[in-house]
Amino acid sequence: MIELQTTWGWEIAIYLFLGGLAAGAICAAAILNLATGERFKNTIRFSAWASVIALVVGVSLLLLEVGLPFRAIVLFKSFVNFDSWMTVGAWLLIGGVLIYGVYALAFTGCVTRRLRFLQRWRTILAIIVIPLSLAIAAYTGVLLSVLWARPLWDTWFLPALFTASALNTGVALVAAYANLRESGEKAASLRKALEISAVSLIALEGTILGCYLASMLSGSEVAALSAQVLTTGELSLLFWLIVVGLGLAVPLLVSIILIIRSDIARKTRGVFPMLGILLCLGGGFTLRLLVLSAGLPILT
């Protein structure tokens, strides 16, 4: 029986998920902001604050995993070697928390009534948030891909996969709020646009996942063995059932049905779309947990 990776546990899996979720949700909110102005400012505000909370919780779990959280908090002061991905990642996360926080405040009425200049900065902040979020989403994969001693992680397919998954789960979170709180004809158009985005992102994530596994299965002995743990080994049931089946296939089917028959959401009082959303989020977390667990080391 193959011994799974246990050095990095559930704390890192949650960080990878929450970091990606935060980046994807606020990226979707910023695009929505640029496309529609303040028409859906409640959805944008919710997505921004949810992203701030998710990123802060995720980074806190990452610091706890370091073992010395208070020392880790001040390590960024000495991060001046920008040839190191750890340095780049530390500043990305610090910048993410600050910029996400300011963006969320820019849509918070009690703050903008006192600091009116924040309203004028919304567009500029949205433009900054999009590339920053894509970088943070990619970094959740880069954090693993630089560990060359574990071939399943040592590939640029992993940052691409985690970025696609981050955008997918982020759109799901935005769609959850839109389905529950937005109403009217314009809200129906928003929900349809989000479902179309979900279909595109699920297709993208599925394609990258397939390429990733194919690359690993045709790679080195340890890379192939790691991929087999996911596809045919100890983790295969969870992988195919939760990640591929419930996490990708079912949400894809739900989104397609909602695009064709938008009235189903109303008839089921939002239960049908929420099913796809919750399964998408569960699949996104399980993907990261299983990729962590299957990261076997090079034999020495």
mmCIF file with all atom_site columns, all heavy atoms in Angstrom, residues 2-29:
data_model
loop_
_atom_site.group_PDB
_atom_site.id
_atom_site.type_symbol
_atom_site.label_atom_id
_atom_site.label_alt_id
_atom_site.label_comp_id
_atom_site.label_asym_id
_atom_site.label_entity_id
_atom_site.label_seq_id
_atom_site.pdbx_PDB_ins_code
_atom_site.Cartn_x
_atom_site.Cartn_y
_atom_site.Cartn_z
_atom_site.occupancy
_atom_site.B_iso_or_equiv
_atom_site.pdbx_formal_charge
_atom_site.auth_seq_id
_atom_site.auth_comp_id
_atom_site.auth_asym_id
_atom_site.auth_atom_id
_atom_site.pdbx_PDB_model_num
ATOM 1   N N   . ILE A 1 2  ? 0.560   2.212  -0.848  1.00 0.00 ? 2  ILE A N   1
ATOM 2   C CA  . ILE A 1 2  ? 1.342   3.432  -0.972  1.00 0.00 ? 2  ILE A CA  1
ATOM 3   C C   . ILE A 1 2  ? 1.055   4.373  0.193   1.00 0.00 ? 2  ILE A C   1
ATOM 4   O O   . ILE A 1 2  ? -0.101  4.587  0.559   1.00 0.00 ? 2  ILE A O   1
ATOM 5   C CB  . ILE A 1 2  ? 1.028   4.132  -2.308  1.00 0.00 ? 2  ILE A CB  1
ATOM 6   C CG1 . ILE A 1 2  ? 1.449   3.241  -3.475  1.00 0.00 ? 2  ILE A CG1 1
ATOM 7   C CG2 . ILE A 1 2  ? 1.720   5.488  -2.392  1.00 0.00 ? 2  ILE A CG2 1
ATOM 8   C CD1 . ILE A 1 2  ? 1.059   3.775  -4.817  1.00 0.00 ? 2  ILE A CD1 1
ATOM 9   N N   . GLU A 1 3  ? 2.124   4.921  0.766   1.00 0.00 ? 3  GLU A N   1
ATOM 10  C CA  . GLU A 1 3  ? 1.969   5.874  1.864   1.00 0.00 ? 3  GLU A CA  1
ATOM 11  C C   . GLU A 1 3  ? 1.733   7.263  1.297   1.00 0.00 ? 3  GLU A C   1
ATOM 12  O O   . GLU A 1 3  ? 2.560   7.800  0.567   1.00 0.00 ? 3  GLU A O   1
ATOM 13  C CB  . GLU A 1 3  ? 3.221   5.867  2.740   1.00 0.00 ? 3  GLU A CB  1
ATOM 14  C CG  . GLU A 1 3  ? 3.094   6.767  3.967   1.00 0.00 ? 3  GLU A CG  1
ATOM 15  C CD  . GLU A 1 3  ? 4.316   6.682  4.868   1.00 0.00 ? 3  GLU A CD  1
ATOM 16  O OE1 . GLU A 1 3  ? 5.168   5.813  4.638   1.00 0.00 ? 3  GLU A OE1 1
ATOM 17  O OE2 . GLU A 1 3  ? 4.408   7.508  5.790   1.00 0.00 ? 3  GLU A OE2 1
ATOM 18  N N   . LEU A 1 4  ? 0.600   7.854  1.616   1.00 0.00 ? 4  LEU A N   1
ATOM 19  C CA  . LEU A 1 4  ? 0.239   9.155  1.082   1.00 0.00 ? 4  LEU A CA  1
ATOM 20  C C   . LEU A 1 4  ? 1.016   10.274 1.770   1.00 0.00 ? 4  LEU A C   1
ATOM 21  O O   . LEU A 1 4  ? 1.585   10.089 2.850   1.00 0.00 ? 4  LEU A O   1
ATOM 22  C CB  . LEU A 1 4  ? -1.266  9.392  1.262   1.00 0.00 ? 4  LEU A CB  1
ATOM 23  C CG  . LEU A 1 4  ? -2.191  8.378  0.578   1.00 0.00 ? 4  LEU A CG  1
ATOM 24  C CD1 . LEU A 1 4  ? -3.636  8.695  0.886   1.00 0.00 ? 4  LEU A CD1 1
ATOM 25  C CD2 . LEU A 1 4  ? -1.960  8.348  -0.926  1.00 0.00 ? 4  LEU A CD2 1
ATOM 26  N N   . GLN A 1 5  ? 1.044   11.428 1.127   1.00 0.00 ? 5  GLN A N   1
ATOM 27  C CA  . GLN A 1 5  ? 1.719   12.605 1.672   1.00 0.00 ? 5  GLN A CA  1
ATOM 28  C C   . GLN A 1 5  ? 0.941   13.131 2.875   1.00 0.00 ? 5  GLN A C   1
ATOM 29  O O   . GLN A 1 5  ? -0.253  13.385 2.806   1.00 0.00 ? 5  GLN A O   1
ATOM 30  C CB  . GLN A 1 5  ? 1.806   13.688 0.595   1.00 0.00 ? 5  GLN A CB  1
ATOM 31  C CG  . GLN A 1 5  ? 2.659   14.898 0.945   1.00 0.00 ? 5  GLN A CG  1
ATOM 32  C CD  . GLN A 1 5  ? 1.962   15.909 1.834   1.00 0.00 ? 5  GLN A CD  1
ATOM 33  O OE1 . GLN A 1 5  ? 2.567   16.419 2.780   1.00 0.00 ? 5  GLN A OE1 1
ATOM 34  N NE2 . GLN A 1 5  ? 0.700   16.177 1.592   1.00 0.00 ? 5  GLN A NE2 1
ATOM 35  N N   . THR A 1 6  ? 1.632   13.301 4.008   1.00 0.00 ? 6  THR A N   1
ATOM 36  C CA  . THR A 1 6  ? 0.980   13.797 5.229   1.00 0.00 ? 6  THR A CA  1
ATOM 37  C C   . THR A 1 6  ? 1.717   14.979 5.857   1.00 0.00 ? 6  THR A C   1
ATOM 38  O O   . THR A 1 6  ? 1.277   15.499 6.883   1.00 0.00 ? 6  THR A O   1
ATOM 39  C CB  . THR A 1 6  ? 0.888   12.664 6.283   1.00 0.00 ? 6  THR A CB  1
ATOM 40  O OG1 . THR A 1 6  ? 2.206   12.149 6.554   1.00 0.00 ? 6  THR A OG1 1
ATOM 41  C CG2 . THR A 1 6  ? -0.015  11.534 5.789   1.00 0.00 ? 6  THR A CG2 1
ATOM 42  N N   . THR A 1 7  ? 2.844   15.404 5.248   1.00 0.00 ? 7  THR A N   1
ATOM 43  C CA  . THR A 1 7  ? 3.601   16.531 5.807   1.00 0.00 ? 7  THR A CA  1
ATOM 44  C C   . THR A 1 7  ? 2.759   17.795 5.813   1.00 0.00 ? 7  THR A C   1
ATOM 45  O O   . THR A 1 7  ? 2.739   18.560 6.785   1.00 0.00 ? 7  THR A O   1
ATOM 46  C CB  . THR A 1 7  ? 4.887   16.759 4.997   1.00 0.00 ? 7  THR A CB  1
ATOM 47  O OG1 . THR A 1 7  ? 5.659   15.557 4.990   1.00 0.00 ? 7  THR A OG1 1
ATOM 48  C CG2 . THR A 1 7  ? 5.715   17.882 5.612   1.00 0.00 ? 7  THR A CG2 1
ATOM 49  N N   . TRP A 1 8  ? 2.062   18.031 4.711   1.00 0.00 ? 8  TRP A N   1
ATOM 50  C CA  . TRP A 1 8  ? 1.132   19.151 4.620   1.00 0.00 ? 8  TRP A CA  1
ATOM 51  C C   . TRP A 1 8  ? -0.276  18.587 4.684   1.00 0.00 ? 8  TRP A C   1
ATOM 52  O O   . TRP A 1 8  ? -0.668  17.787 3.836   1.00 0.00 ? 8  TRP A O   1
ATOM 53  C CB  . TRP A 1 8  ? 1.339   19.929 3.327   1.00 0.00 ? 8  TRP A CB  1
ATOM 54  C CG  . TRP A 1 8  ? 2.537   20.833 3.387   1.00 0.00 ? 8  TRP A CG  1
ATOM 55  C CD1 . TRP A 1 8  ? 3.457   20.894 4.382   1.00 0.00 ? 8  TRP A CD1 1
ATOM 56  C CD2 . TRP A 1 8  ? 2.921   21.795 2.422   1.00 0.00 ? 8  TRP A CD2 1
ATOM 57  N NE1 . TRP A 1 8  ? 4.403   21.835 4.107   1.00 0.00 ? 8  TRP A NE1 1
ATOM 58  C CE2 . TRP A 1 8  ? 4.104   22.408 2.894   1.00 0.00 ? 8  TRP A CE2 1
ATOM 59  C CE3 . TRP A 1 8  ? 2.404   22.196 1.204   1.00 0.00 ? 8  TRP A CE3 1
ATOM 60  C CZ2 . TRP A 1 8  ? 4.760   23.403 2.194   1.00 0.00 ? 8  TRP A CZ2 1
ATOM 61  C CZ3 . TRP A 1 8  ? 3.056   23.195 0.502   1.00 0.00 ? 8  TRP A CZ3 1
ATOM 62  C CH2 . TRP A 1 8  ? 4.216   23.798 0.986   1.00 0.00 ? 8  TRP A CH2 1
ATOM 63  N N   . GLY A 1 9  ? -1.036  19.043 5.692   1.00 0.00 ? 9  GLY A N   1
ATOM 64  C CA  . GLY A 1 9  ? -2.349  18.463 5.926   1.00 0.00 ? 9  GLY A CA  1
ATOM 65  C C   . GLY A 1 9  ? -3.506  19.353 5.525   1.00 0.00 ? 9  GLY A C   1
ATOM 66  O O   . GLY A 1 9  ? -3.410  20.184 4.616   1.00 0.00 ? 9  GLY A O   1
ATOM 67  N N   . TRP A 1 10 ? -4.582  19.223 6.275   1.00 0.00 ? 10 TRP A N   1
ATOM 68  C CA  . TRP A 1 10 ? -5.833  19.901 5.934   1.00 0.00 ? 10 TRP A CA  1
ATOM 69  C C   . TRP A 1 10 ? -5.723  21.419 6.021   1.00 0.00 ? 10 TRP A C   1
ATOM 70  O O   . TRP A 1 10 ? -6.419  22.139 5.309   1.00 0.00 ? 10 TRP A O   1
ATOM 71  C CB  . TRP A 1 10 ? -6.960  19.401 6.837   1.00 0.00 ? 10 TRP A CB  1
ATOM 72  C CG  . TRP A 1 10 ? -6.726  19.654 8.308   1.00 0.00 ? 10 TRP A CG  1
ATOM 73  C CD1 . TRP A 1 10 ? -6.145  18.808 9.191   1.00 0.00 ? 10 TRP A CD1 1
ATOM 74  C CD2 . TRP A 1 10 ? -7.067  20.842 9.037   1.00 0.00 ? 10 TRP A CD2 1
ATOM 75  N NE1 . TRP A 1 10 ? -6.090  19.385 10.444  1.00 0.00 ? 10 TRP A NE1 1
ATOM 76  C CE2 . TRP A 1 10 ? -6.659  20.636 10.377  1.00 0.00 ? 10 TRP A CE2 1
ATOM 77  C CE3 . TRP A 1 10 ? -7.687  22.041 8.702   1.00 0.00 ? 10 TRP A CE3 1
ATOM 78  C CZ2 . TRP A 1 10 ? -6.841  21.590 11.368  1.00 0.00 ? 10 TRP A CZ2 1
ATOM 79  C CZ3 . TRP A 1 10 ? -7.872  23.004 9.690   1.00 0.00 ? 10 TRP A CZ3 1
ATOM 80  C CH2 . TRP A 1 10 ? -7.453  22.765 11.002  1.00 0.00 ? 10 TRP A CH2 1
ATOM 81  N N   . GLU A 1 11 ? -4.819  21.935 6.891   1.00 0.00 ? 11 GLU A N   1
ATOM 82  C CA  . GLU A 1 11 ? -4.683  23.389 6.992   1.00 0.00 ? 11 GLU A CA  1
ATOM 83  C C   . GLU A 1 11 ? -4.248  23.996 5.652   1.00 0.00 ? 11 GLU A C   1
ATOM 84  O O   . GLU A 1 11 ? -4.776  25.027 5.227   1.00 0.00 ? 11 GLU A O   1
ATOM 85  C CB  . GLU A 1 11 ? -3.665  23.773 8.073   1.00 0.00 ? 11 GLU A CB  1
ATOM 86  C CG  . GLU A 1 11 ? -4.062  23.347 9.484   1.00 0.00 ? 11 GLU A CG  1
ATOM 87  C CD  . GLU A 1 11 ? -3.468  22.015 9.874   1.00 0.00 ? 11 GLU A CD  1
ATOM 88  O OE1 . GLU A 1 11 ? -3.050  21.270 8.955   1.00 0.00 ? 11 GLU A OE1 1
ATOM 89  O OE2 . GLU A 1 11 ? -3.435  21.710 11.078  1.00 0.00 ? 11 GLU A OE2 1
ATOM 90  N N   . ILE A 1 12 ? -3.260  23.338 5.020   1.00 0.00 ? 12 ILE A N   1
ATOM 91  C CA  . ILE A 1 12 ? -2.781  23.834 3.737   1.00 0.00 ? 12 ILE A CA  1
ATOM 92  C C   . ILE A 1 12 ? -3.852  23.666 2.663   1.00 0.00 ? 12 ILE A C   1
ATOM 93  O O   . ILE A 1 12 ? -4.030  24.537 1.807   1.00 0.00 ? 12 ILE A O   1
ATOM 94  C CB  . ILE A 1 12 ? -1.487  23.111 3.325   1.00 0.00 ? 12 ILE A CB  1
ATOM 95  C CG1 . ILE A 1 12 ? -0.359  23.456 4.301   1.00 0.00 ? 12 ILE A CG1 1
ATOM 96  C CG2 . ILE A 1 12 ? -1.079  23.492 1.898   1.00 0.00 ? 12 ILE A CG2 1
ATOM 97  C CD1 . ILE A 1 12 ? 0.018   24.918 4.320   1.00 0.00 ? 12 ILE A CD1 1
ATOM 98  N N   . ALA A 1 13 ? -4.585  22.556 2.710   1.00 0.00 ? 13 ALA A N   1
ATOM 99  C CA  . ALA A 1 13 ? -5.660  22.342 1.740   1.00 0.00 ? 13 ALA A CA  1
ATOM 100 C C   . ALA A 1 13 ? -6.716  23.441 1.848   1.00 0.00 ? 13 ALA A C   1
ATOM 101 O O   . ALA A 1 13 ? -7.208  23.949 0.836   1.00 0.00 ? 13 ALA A O   1
ATOM 102 C CB  . ALA A 1 13 ? -6.293  20.968 1.952   1.00 0.00 ? 13 ALA A CB  1
ATOM 103 N N   . ILE A 1 14 ? -7.059  23.816 3.077   1.00 0.00 ? 14 ILE A N   1
ATOM 104 C CA  . ILE A 1 14 ? -8.043  24.878 3.275   1.00 0.00 ? 14 ILE A CA  1
ATOM 105 C C   . ILE A 1 14 ? -7.484  26.217 2.794   1.00 0.00 ? 14 ILE A C   1
ATOM 106 O O   . ILE A 1 14 ? -8.193  27.017 2.173   1.00 0.00 ? 14 ILE A O   1
ATOM 107 C CB  . ILE A 1 14 ? -8.477  24.967 4.747   1.00 0.00 ? 14 ILE A CB  1
ATOM 108 C CG1 . ILE A 1 14 ? -9.235  23.697 5.159   1.00 0.00 ? 14 ILE A CG1 1
ATOM 109 C CG2 . ILE A 1 14 ? -9.352  26.195 4.980   1.00 0.00 ? 14 ILE A CG2 1
ATOM 110 C CD1 . ILE A 1 14 ? -9.646  23.671 6.613   1.00 0.00 ? 14 ILE A CD1 1
ATOM 111 N N   . TYR A 1 15 ? -6.188  26.482 3.083   1.00 0.00 ? 15 TYR A N   1
ATOM 112 C CA  . TYR A 1 15 ? -5.585  27.725 2.586   1.00 0.00 ? 15 TYR A CA  1
ATOM 113 C C   . TYR A 1 15 ? -5.628  27.779 1.065   1.00 0.00 ? 15 TYR A C   1
ATOM 114 O O   . TYR A 1 15 ? -6.012  28.806 0.479   1.00 0.00 ? 15 TYR A O   1
ATOM 115 C CB  . TYR A 1 15 ? -4.128  27.859 3.053   1.00 0.00 ? 15 TYR A CB  1
ATOM 116 C CG  . TYR A 1 15 ? -3.334  28.738 2.119   1.00 0.00 ? 15 TYR A CG  1
ATOM 117 C CD1 . TYR A 1 15 ? -3.585  30.110 2.056   1.00 0.00 ? 15 TYR A CD1 1
ATOM 118 C CD2 . TYR A 1 15 ? -2.385  28.202 1.241   1.00 0.00 ? 15 TYR A CD2 1
ATOM 119 C CE1 . TYR A 1 15 ? -2.905  30.920 1.155   1.00 0.00 ? 15 TYR A CE1 1
ATOM 120 C CE2 . TYR A 1 15 ? -1.703  29.000 0.339   1.00 0.00 ? 15 TYR A CE2 1
ATOM 121 C CZ  . TYR A 1 15 ? -1.966  30.346 0.308   1.00 0.00 ? 15 TYR A CZ  1
ATOM 122 O OH  . TYR A 1 15 ? -1.308  31.156 -0.601  1.00 0.00 ? 15 TYR A OH  1
ATOM 123 N N   . LEU A 1 16 ? -5.229  26.686 0.406   1.00 0.00 ? 16 LEU A N   1
ATOM 124 C CA  . LEU A 1 16 ? -5.232  26.656 -1.049  1.00 0.00 ? 16 LEU A CA  1
ATOM 125 C C   . LEU A 1 16 ? -6.635  26.908 -1.602  1.00 0.00 ? 16 LEU A C   1
ATOM 126 O O   . LEU A 1 16 ? -6.811  27.618 -2.598  1.00 0.00 ? 16 LEU A O   1
ATOM 127 C CB  . LEU A 1 16 ? -4.705  25.307 -1.554  1.00 0.00 ? 16 LEU A CB  1
ATOM 128 C CG  . LEU A 1 16 ? -3.247  24.978 -1.230  1.00 0.00 ? 16 LEU A CG  1
ATOM 129 C CD1 . LEU A 1 16 ? -2.912  23.553 -1.661  1.00 0.00 ? 16 LEU A CD1 1
ATOM 130 C CD2 . LEU A 1 16 ? -2.304  25.975 -1.905  1.00 0.00 ? 16 LEU A CD2 1
ATOM 131 N N   . PHE A 1 17 ? -7.636  26.331 -0.922  1.00 0.00 ? 17 PHE A N   1
ATOM 132 C CA  . PHE A 1 17 ? -9.021  26.513 -1.370  1.00 0.00 ? 17 PHE A CA  1
ATOM 133 C C   . PHE A 1 17 ? -9.502  27.932 -1.112  1.00 0.00 ? 17 PHE A C   1
ATOM 134 O O   . PHE A 1 17 ? -10.034 28.589 -2.014  1.00 0.00 ? 17 PHE A O   1
ATOM 135 C CB  . PHE A 1 17 ? -9.927  25.504 -0.667  1.00 0.00 ? 17 PHE A CB  1
ATOM 136 C CG  . PHE A 1 17 ? -11.388 25.735 -0.921  1.00 0.00 ? 17 PHE A CG  1
ATOM 137 C CD1 . PHE A 1 17 ? -11.918 25.523 -2.179  1.00 0.00 ? 17 PHE A CD1 1
ATOM 138 C CD2 . PHE A 1 17 ? -12.220 26.193 0.097   1.00 0.00 ? 17 PHE A CD2 1
ATOM 139 C CE1 . PHE A 1 17 ? -13.269 25.758 -2.430  1.00 0.00 ? 17 PHE A CE1 1
ATOM 140 C CE2 . PHE A 1 17 ? -13.569 26.421 -0.140  1.00 0.00 ? 17 PHE A CE2 1
ATOM 141 C CZ  . PHE A 1 17 ? -14.093 26.207 -1.409  1.00 0.00 ? 17 PHE A CZ  1
ATOM 142 N N   . LEU A 1 18 ? -9.325  28.428 0.114   1.00 0.00 ? 18 LEU A N   1
ATOM 143 C CA  . LEU A 1 18 ? -9.826  29.761 0.459   1.00 0.00 ? 18 LEU A CA  1
ATOM 144 C C   . LEU A 1 18 ? -9.077  30.857 -0.296  1.00 0.00 ? 18 LEU A C   1
ATOM 145 O O   . LEU A 1 18 ? -9.682  31.859 -0.712  1.00 0.00 ? 18 LEU A O   1
ATOM 146 C CB  . LEU A 1 18 ? -9.715  29.992 1.962   1.00 0.00 ? 18 LEU A CB  1
ATOM 147 C CG  . LEU A 1 18 ? -10.662 29.169 2.849   1.00 0.00 ? 18 LEU A CG  1
ATOM 148 C CD1 . LEU A 1 18 ? -10.428 29.494 4.320   1.00 0.00 ? 18 LEU A CD1 1
ATOM 149 C CD2 . LEU A 1 18 ? -12.120 29.431 2.472   1.00 0.00 ? 18 LEU A CD2 1
ATOM 150 N N   . GLY A 1 19 ? -7.761  30.680 -0.471  1.00 0.00 ? 19 GLY A N   1
ATOM 151 C CA  . GLY A 1 19 ? -7.000  31.665 -1.241  1.00 0.00 ? 19 GLY A CA  1
ATOM 152 C C   . GLY A 1 19 ? -7.506  31.753 -2.669  1.00 0.00 ? 19 GLY A C   1
ATOM 153 O O   . GLY A 1 19 ? -7.683  32.839 -3.222  1.00 0.00 ? 19 GLY A O   1
ATOM 154 N N   . GLY A 1 20 ? -7.755  30.589 -3.279  1.00 0.00 ? 20 GLY A N   1
ATOM 155 C CA  . GLY A 1 20 ? -8.286  30.569 -4.640  1.00 0.00 ? 20 GLY A CA  1
ATOM 156 C C   . GLY A 1 20 ? -9.700  31.105 -4.711  1.00 0.00 ? 20 GLY A C   1
ATOM 157 O O   . GLY A 1 20 ? -10.057 31.861 -5.623  1.00 0.00 ? 20 GLY A O   1
ATOM 158 N N   . LEU A 1 21 ? -10.540 30.711 -3.737  1.00 0.00 ? 21 LEU A N   1
ATOM 159 C CA  . LEU A 1 21 ? -11.923 31.185 -3.698  1.00 0.00 ? 21 LEU A CA  1
ATOM 160 C C   . LEU A 1 21 ? -11.974 32.705 -3.576  1.00 0.00 ? 21 LEU A C   1
ATOM 161 O O   . LEU A 1 21 ? -12.759 33.374 -4.272  1.00 0.00 ? 21 LEU A O   1
ATOM 162 C CB  . LEU A 1 21 ? -12.649 30.541 -2.519  1.00 0.00 ? 21 LEU A CB  1
ATOM 163 C CG  . LEU A 1 21 ? -14.103 30.966 -2.279  1.00 0.00 ? 21 LEU A CG  1
ATOM 164 C CD1 . LEU A 1 21 ? -14.987 30.536 -3.444  1.00 0.00 ? 21 LEU A CD1 1
ATOM 165 C CD2 . LEU A 1 21 ? -14.619 30.387 -0.963  1.00 0.00 ? 21 LEU A CD2 1
ATOM 166 N N   . ALA A 1 22 ? -11.148 33.258 -2.693  1.00 0.00 ? 22 ALA A N   1
ATOM 167 C CA  . ALA A 1 22 ? -11.106 34.713 -2.509  1.00 0.00 ? 22 ALA A CA  1
ATOM 168 C C   . ALA A 1 22 ? -10.705 35.412 -3.800  1.00 0.00 ? 22 ALA A C   1
ATOM 169 O O   . ALA A 1 22 ? -11.334 36.390 -4.220  1.00 0.00 ? 22 ALA A O   1
ATOM 170 C CB  . ALA A 1 22 ? -10.124 35.062 -1.390  1.00 0.00 ? 22 ALA A CB  1
ATOM 171 N N   . ALA A 1 23 ? -9.656  34.908 -4.433  1.00 0.00 ? 23 ALA A N   1
ATOM 172 C CA  . ALA A 1 23 ? -9.178  35.526 -5.673  1.00 0.00 ? 23 ALA A CA  1
ATOM 173 C C   . ALA A 1 23 ? -10.226 35.435 -6.773  1.00 0.00 ? 23 ALA A C   1
ATOM 174 O O   . ALA A 1 23 ? -10.475 36.406 -7.495  1.00 0.00 ? 23 ALA A O   1
ATOM 175 C CB  . ALA A 1 23 ? -7.877  34.853 -6.110  1.00 0.00 ? 23 ALA A CB  1
ATOM 176 N N   . GLY A 1 24 ? -10.859 34.270 -6.909  1.00 0.00 ? 24 GLY A N   1
ATOM 177 C CA  . GLY A 1 24 ? -11.852 34.095 -7.958  1.00 0.00 ? 24 GLY A CA  1
ATOM 178 C C   . GLY A 1 24 ? -13.088 34.941 -7.750  1.00 0.00 ? 24 GLY A C   1
ATOM 179 O O   . GLY A 1 24 ? -13.624 35.545 -8.698  1.00 0.00 ? 24 GLY A O   1
ATOM 180 N N   . ALA A 1 25 ? -13.565 35.027 -6.501  1.00 0.00 ? 25 ALA A N   1
ATOM 181 C CA  . ALA A 1 25 ? -14.789 35.781 -6.218  1.00 0.00 ? 25 ALA A CA  1
ATOM 182 C C   . ALA A 1 25 ? -14.591 37.275 -6.430  1.00 0.00 ? 25 ALA A C   1
ATOM 183 O O   . ALA A 1 25 ? -15.435 37.945 -7.035  1.00 0.00 ? 25 ALA A O   1
ATOM 184 C CB  . ALA A 1 25 ? -15.250 35.508 -4.788  1.00 0.00 ? 25 ALA A CB  1
ATOM 185 N N   . ILE A 1 26 ? -13.484 37.810 -5.952  1.00 0.00 ? 26 ILE A N   1
ATOM 186 C CA  . ILE A 1 26 ? -13.298 39.260 -6.079  1.00 0.00 ? 26 ILE A CA  1
ATOM 187 C C   . ILE A 1 26 ? -12.934 39.634 -7.515  1.00 0.00 ? 26 ILE A C   1
ATOM 188 O O   . ILE A 1 26 ? -13.251 40.730 -7.984  1.00 0.00 ? 26 ILE A O   1
ATOM 189 C CB  . ILE A 1 26 ? -12.237 39.785 -5.083  1.00 0.00 ? 26 ILE A CB  1
ATOM 190 C CG1 . ILE A 1 26 ? -12.457 41.288 -4.846  1.00 0.00 ? 26 ILE A CG1 1
ATOM 191 C CG2 . ILE A 1 26 ? -10.827 39.497 -5.557  1.00 0.00 ? 26 ILE A CG2 1
ATOM 192 C CD1 . ILE A 1 26 ? -11.711 41.835 -3.647  1.00 0.00 ? 26 ILE A CD1 1
ATOM 193 N N   . CYS A 1 27 ? -12.303 38.706 -8.244  1.00 0.00 ? 27 CYS A N   1
ATOM 194 C CA  . CYS A 1 27 ? -12.029 38.943 -9.662  1.00 0.00 ? 27 CYS A CA  1
ATOM 195 C C   . CYS A 1 27 ? -13.350 39.025 -10.430 1.00 0.00 ? 27 CYS A C   1
ATOM 196 O O   . CYS A 1 27 ? -13.555 39.927 -11.252 1.00 0.00 ? 27 CYS A O   1
ATOM 197 C CB  . CYS A 1 27 ? -11.156 37.821 -10.219 1.00 0.00 ? 27 CYS A CB  1
ATOM 198 S SG  . CYS A 1 27 ? -10.646 38.076 -11.935 1.00 0.00 ? 27 CYS A SG  1
ATOM 199 N N   . ALA A 1 28 ? -14.266 38.090 -10.145 1.00 0.00 ? 28 ALA A N   1
ATOM 200 C CA  . ALA A 1 28 ? -15.586 38.119 -10.773 1.00 0.00 ? 28 ALA A CA  1
ATOM 201 C C   . ALA A 1 28 ? -16.337 39.390 -10.404 1.00 0.00 ? 28 ALA A C   1
ATOM 202 O O   . ALA A 1 28 ? -17.004 40.009 -11.253 1.00 0.00 ? 28 ALA A O   1
ATOM 203 C CB  . ALA A 1 28 ? -16.378 36.883 -10.360 1.00 0.00 ? 28 ALA A CB  1
ATOM 204 N N   . ALA A 1 29 ? -16.233 39.811 -9.137  1.00 0.00 ? 29 ALA A N   1
ATOM 205 C CA  . ALA A 1 29 ? -16.905 41.027 -8.685  1.00 0.00 ? 29 ALA A CA  1
ATOM 206 C C   . ALA A 1 29 ? -16.347 42.259 -9.390  1.00 0.00 ? 29 ALA A C   1
ATOM 207 O O   . ALA A 1 29 ? -17.097 43.172 -9.775  1.00 0.00 ? 29 ALA A O   1
ATOM 208 C CB  . ALA A 1 29 ? -16.766 41.172 -7.176  1.00 0.00 ? 29 ALA A CB  1
#
